Amino acid sequence: MRPKVIAGNWKMNKDADESVELINGLITRSGEIPNGVTVILCPPFTSLAIAQRLLDGGPMALGGQNMHYEDEGAFTGEISAGMLKSVGCTFVIIGHSERRQIFGETNDAINKKVKKALSAGLRPIICVGETLEERERGVTEQVINVQLKGALQDVSENEVSRAIIAYEPVWAIGTGKNATPEQAADVHNYIRKIIGQFYSWATAERIIIQYGGSVKPENARSLLATDGIDGALVGGACLKPDSFMEIVMAAGS
Ligand code: PEP
């Protein structure tokens, strides 16, 4: 039985004071987190240190939204895996579609980040997903296949078990139009099959596959109750304590 994992991707939202307010709101309700549900907060880099202090000793984990694959050096504006760890991160989102589309992140760069995250002891949340045009062209599986193969090149079976895959159809992100549980389950089953082919069925059975794309309190229960959907990567709905906690609670029911 795989645990459910709910991650909140704050994106470029919440300054330091707003972050404190949101985290305190979540801490107030953290006693309601169901057993067996892992909750990860991914605030902007500027709020990680204060988040670490506020979350210390509590049940919620911390993650970065991105990282560079080098350890240090002349990479203005970048953050390393070691820096994320130094402020308490245990997870990092890698290859979000906004990184791929707006910042031109390639499968090759994503692969380097995944390998660095794993070797540094961080658990990568690897995002994959097709655009609307690709879905309508009927090439969703090919797109996912290329993204997964690219991200997992030279990642060992031992290491890949620590990774989380987030299926995030680009057409569902921030649009209010979520994939149906059936649409999501089809792609999750495909991802699990691919992991089984790359590695083994035992590893495929173990790996956590989240769904992301307009997850809200109203649709969380049906998505999270679907076989093969092991959690959610949440954008807009994670910016308010109540809506995020309702999704967390839906993961436990
Ligand atoms: C995301 O950015 O990962 C995401 C899923 O956003 P939203 O929930 O707002 O669609």
Side-chain angles (χ1 to χ4, degrees):
M1 177 81 168
R2 293 178 296 270
K4 292 272 198 260
V5 181
I6 309 293
N9 173 15
W10 298 16
K11 310 194 189 192
M12 197 173 75
N13 293 294
K14 306 289 179 189
D15 66 17
D17 289 344
E18 291 164 341
S19 297
V20 170
E21 194 182 329
L22 175 51
I23 292 167
N24 281 335
L26 292 166
I27 289 172
T28 306
R29 294 195 54 180
S30 62
E32 299 168 49
I33 297 173
N35 280 339
V37 178
T38 300
V39 179
I40 309 161
L41 308 185
C42 303
F45 293 142
T46 46
S47 296
L48 285 171
I50 184 68
Q52 179 189 29
R53 282 198 287 278
L54 294 170
L55 295 174
D56 188 34
M60 293 182 279
L62 202 52
Q65 296 178 17
N66 180 33
M67 53 167 264
H68 196 270
Y69 49 78
E70 295 291 349
D71 289 326
E72 61 185 3
F75 301 102
T76 302
E78 293 292 332
I79 298 277
S80 71
M83 291 170 185
L84 290 179
K85 286 192 72 181
S86 75
V87 286
C89 290
T90 45
F91 293 85
V92 59
I93 299 170
I94 292 184
H96 190 280
S97 63
E98 287 151 16
R99 300 291 322 165
R100 293 177 189 263
Q101 293 195 325
I102 305 171
F103 301 100
E105 250 177 46
T106 61
N107 284 325
D108 183 49
I110 290 164
N111 177 239
K112 288 183 176 144
K113 292 180 183 201
V114 168
K115 286 189 287 192
K116 176 57 72 175
L118 286 165
S119 69
L122 290 168
R123 293 186 65 185
I125 300 174
I126 305 168
C127 301
V128 295
E130 80 288 2
T131 63
L132 183 59
E133 187 269 323
E134 288 162 341
R135 174 161 282 263
E136 285 174 349
R137 240 179 338 115
V139 295
T140 297
E141 291 192 350
Q142 286 97 307
V143 169
I144 302 289
N145 192 310
V146 168
Q147 290 176 344
L148 266 184
K149 263 197 191 128
L152 297 177
Q153 180 85 35
D154 298 326
V155 173
S156 71
E157 179 154 15
N158 202 20
E159 286 179 316
V160 83
S161 318
R162 292 197 290 115
I164 292 175
I165 310 294
Y167 168 54
E168 295 212 307
V170 178
W171 49 270
I173 296 179
T175 59
K177 189 175 182 291
N178 60 287
T180 63
E182 295 71 30
Q183 285 173 321
D186 281 350
V187 181
H188 282 226
N189 290 339
Y190 178 71
I191 291 172
R192 218 174 287 286
K193 188 174 97 182
I194 292 292
I195 298 289
Q197 285 168 0
F198 287 177
Y199 299 98
S200 67
W201 190 243
T203 292
E205 284 276 275
R206 248 198 323 270
I207 204 154
I208 304 285
I209 307 176
Q210 296 176 309
Y211 166 76
S214 296
V215 177
K216 304 179 274 277
E218 305 85 73
N219 58 25
R221 210 165 292 275
S222 59
L223 284 162
L224 292 167
T226 302
D227 208 27
I229 300 183
D230 308 320
L233 181 53
V234 184
C238 78
L239 297 174
K240 294 215 168 76
D242 286 348
S243 52
F244 189 58
M245 283 308 296
E246 276 178 53
I247 295 169
V248 169
M249 313 259 282
S253 55

